[in-house]
Amino acid sequence: MIIGLSLIFGIMAIFLLMGKGSFLIAGYNTASESEKARYDEKKLCRVMGVGMMLIAFGLLATAFFKMIGVVIMLITIALALVVMFVGSGHCYREEYQKEVAKTPWYKNSQVYFAIIGILVSIGVGIMMFIGNINVKFLDQSVVFKATLSRTTEVVYQDIEKVSYVESLDIGKKKMGINNMAINAGRFQNDKFGRYLLYCYTSCKDYVVMETKDGIVVVNDKTASQTKALYEKLKDK
């Protein structure tokens, strides 16, 4: 899905970089003829094409890399937004350029660039270095929750086997969160195929539950805490 989406953005980018496809540019395609006449259409298309190509590259990075792929995606999307929003202000025809240069937006474009960069940096820091996993034991089931991921409830009677492993190739994320703090959601590896994962990156020990609905893998912040989680699940 991600690869397909990146290909779509890539094809759009190539089309725009050729100076064509202005109908793809939101805002411009609905502008009046007099407003369109103020722009150098080919230049605007190429600026938007660079932005689209950056987005395509960022999406593709998440398909082939793990945590670093998300960082690359966030950075490239931020750069794409800067290129498209700031760059579009420099795509007016020469006869309108002096008039546009007097506008507050044009004069302060570098300030806007800096503000966007700071906001993106803060956003990347928040997204990449925070996350929490919560395991709640109920009378008849156990519930797994994680930041920005789905909640899973497993009935004790549906657990067929519980095992403790000290290393595991978690594979690739299919849906969920994958950052410097936690990995959670639906993942896929060679051993389990598609499975549910709720784990902290700081710990390399895992509890593997084989259930009637598939594999669920979980851990805690430390090996000792993960071992305690394993013992509690075995008792249940």
Side-chain angles (χ1 to χ4, degrees):
M1 180 179 176
I2 293 294
I3 293 177
L5 194 59
S6 66
L7 286 174
I8 291 171
F9 274 97
I11 292 169
M12 291 170 64
I14 292 170
F15 199 47
L16 288 165
L17 286 169
M18 293 170 65
K20 301 177 181 179
S22 60
F23 63 89
L24 295 170
I25 304 172
Y28 181 81
N29 55 11
T30 57
S32 64
E33 291 302 319
S34 60
E35 182 64 25
K36 287 181 179 179
R38 296 164 66 89
Y39 285 91
D40 182 329
E41 187 174 299
K42 286 190 175 182
K43 189 175 181 180
L44 181 64
C45 285
R46 287 169 182 146
V47 166
M48 294 300 167
V50 172
M52 288 286 191
M53 189 61 75
L54 285 167
I55 292 173
F57 178 77
L59 289 170
L60 198 61
T62 64
F64 292 98
F65 303 99
K66 295 181 181 180
M67 289 179 288
I68 191 64
V70 178
V71 176
I72 293 171
M73 181 189 70
L74 292 172
I75 292 172
T76 53
I77 288 177
L79 287 173
L81 291 174
V82 170
V83 167
M84 290 189 287
F85 282 105
V86 177
S88 62
H90 297 262
C91 293
Y92 287 92
R93 293 185 183 278
E94 188 175 346
E95 56 267 34
Y96 296 105
Q97 197 67 47
K98 289 182 179 180
E99 178 185 339
V100 173
K102 297 176 183 179
T103 63
W105 185 92
Y106 191 92
K107 289 180 178 179
N108 297 322
S109 59
Q110 290 184 336
V111 175
Y112 298 145
F113 181 93
I115 292 172
I116 292 172
I118 291 170
L119 291 175
V120 168
S121 298
I122 293 172
V124 169
I126 292 172
M127 291 295 295
M128 292 308 302
F129 297 99
I130 67 167
N132 185 59
I133 293 170
N134 180 263
V135 181
K136 187 176 182 180
F137 289 93
L138 304 177
D139 291 338
Q140 303 297 324
S141 62
V142 58
V143 178
F144 302 99
K145 294 182 179 181
T147 305
L148 299 177
S149 187
R150 60 177 288 184
T151 297
T152 299
E153 183 174 3
V154 179
V155 177
Y156 298 132
Q157 290 184 345
D158 291 343
I159 300 175
E160 298 172 344
K161 183 181 178 181
V162 180
S163 56
Y164 189 90
V165 297
E166 294 182 349
S167 64
L168 178 69
D169 178 9
I170 65 172
K172 293 183 178 181
K173 179 193 71 177
K174 294 300 178 181
M175 186 177 295
I177 184 170
N178 172 218
N179 66 15
M180 302 297 289
I182 65 172
N183 295 302
R186 189 162 295 279
F187 279 64
Q188 181 173 345
N189 65 10
D190 294 334
K191 186 174 183 179
F192 303 136
R194 292 206 173 203
Y195 71 102
L196 292 173
L197 176 67
Y198 296 88
C199 76
Y200 287 96
T201 59
S202 59
C203 179
K204 301 304 177 184
D205 290 19
Y206 305 88
V207 179
V208 179
M209 292 182 296
E210 298 178 27
T211 78
K212 290 181 180 179
D213 295 322
I215 302 294
V216 180
V217 178
V218 63
N219 74 3
D220 211 323
K221 292 180 179 179
T222 66
S224 60
Q225 289 174 307
T226 302
K227 193 72 174 180
L229 179 61
Y230 166 68
E231 295 295 340
K232 193 165 185 178
L233 279 168
K234 275 209 312 180
D235 291 340
K236 293 291 184 179

